[in-house]
Amino acid sequence: MFFDSVNGFHDGLIKEFHLINDAYIDKLLSMVCGFKYNMRILIQRQWEKPSAVELLLGDVVEMNLPKLNYEIYNSFGTIHISKANETPEITINLDGNVFVCRKMLYREVSEWMGRESRFGDEIIVNNSFPVEKLEDGWVLCSNCFEAWQPINRKVLKCPKCFF
């Protein structure tokens, strides 16, 4: 029913995802176990109602991401309940990119369209730093020499040449 309501995410793409582990190492360097991964996925699509959907996956037990550069043409999901421990296992297949989890929530976030990152600061990896920092928060693009004053961004990309 859910995948029908989003037309299998046809003409969509995974805009971003965020994976976090419940386990951690504290300030005293002790490991606190309980390895449970939770994930947020933002999918944007070229359709209205909804144009964007946020998936919240709890207790992610498997991921297979062989097609990260491709758009989504079709997707589907299945639920399998183990008779041994009655734990549901939800498999989400986004055109070959597969996520298996034990809980899933979703919500429409159609106002989240566009290039802007929603799950944190944008990350850009270049061989050289793209800008030179000037006075008063201004920066200068090292590629086209455009100057601008960025708003709330740790990593910068030129608005003129996108370097």
Side-chain angles (χ1 to χ4, degrees):
M1 185 73 141
F2 166 71
F3 286 95
D4 291 337
S5 71
V6 295
N7 195 26
F9 289 118
H10 181 73
D11 289 337
L13 56 85
I14 297 174
K15 167 67 174 127
E16 57 188 292
F17 67 85
H18 179 94
L19 180 70
I20 190 163
N21 188 349
D22 284 351
Y24 60 93
I25 297 175
D26 67 20
K27 292 178 182 180
L28 299 174
L29 304 180
S30 296
M31 185 177 296
V32 178
C33 295
F35 296 94
K36 190 179 279 190
Y37 290 94
N38 296 309
M39 179 182 284
R40 295 173 71 187
I41 303 173
L42 174 58
I43 300 173
Q44 295 175 336
R45 44 192 298 261
Q46 293 181 298
W47 293 73
E48 292 183 357
K49 309 228 185 278
S51 299
V53 173
E54 177 185 21
L55 299 176
L56 301 175
L57 308 181
D59 197 3
V60 176
V61 295
E62 184 179 331
M63 290 188 317
N64 185 9
L65 306 170
K67 296 174 61 173
L68 286 178
N69 294 330
Y70 299 108
E71 56 276 349
I72 301 170
Y73 291 108
N74 191 24
S75 64
F76 59 91
T78 60
I79 299 174
H80 174 73
I81 299 177
S82 167
K83 293 183 181 184
N85 58 12
E86 298 182 7
T87 302
E89 196 168 85
I90 303 163
T91 300
I92 300 160
N93 186 319
L94 301 173
D95 212 353
N97 293 311
V98 178
F99 306 89
V100 181
C101 62
R102 297 221 164 83
K103 298 175 187 168
M104 182 184 113
L105 301 170
Y106 66 91
R107 65 179 176 151
E108 178 193 355
V109 289
S110 292
E111 66 277 10
W112 287 7
M113 297 301 285
R115 185 177 179 279
E116 183 179 347
S117 176
R118 300 298 177 164
F119 299 162
D121 292 324
E122 183 177 3
I123 300 168
I124 300 169
V125 180
N126 285 334
N127 290 335
S128 62
F129 195 70
V131 298
E132 176 185 340
K133 293 185 179 183
L134 305 173
E135 294 180 12
D136 298 324
W138 284 80
V139 294
L140 179 70
C141 176
S142 61
N143 186 53
C144 73
F145 304 107
E146 174 78 8
W148 76 99
Q149 192 170 27
I151 301 171
N152 296 330
R153 290 189 126 166
K154 290 182 181 177
V155 179
L156 308 167
K157 199 167 196 179
C158 178
K160 184 177 178 184
C161 71
F162 303 107
F163 180 72

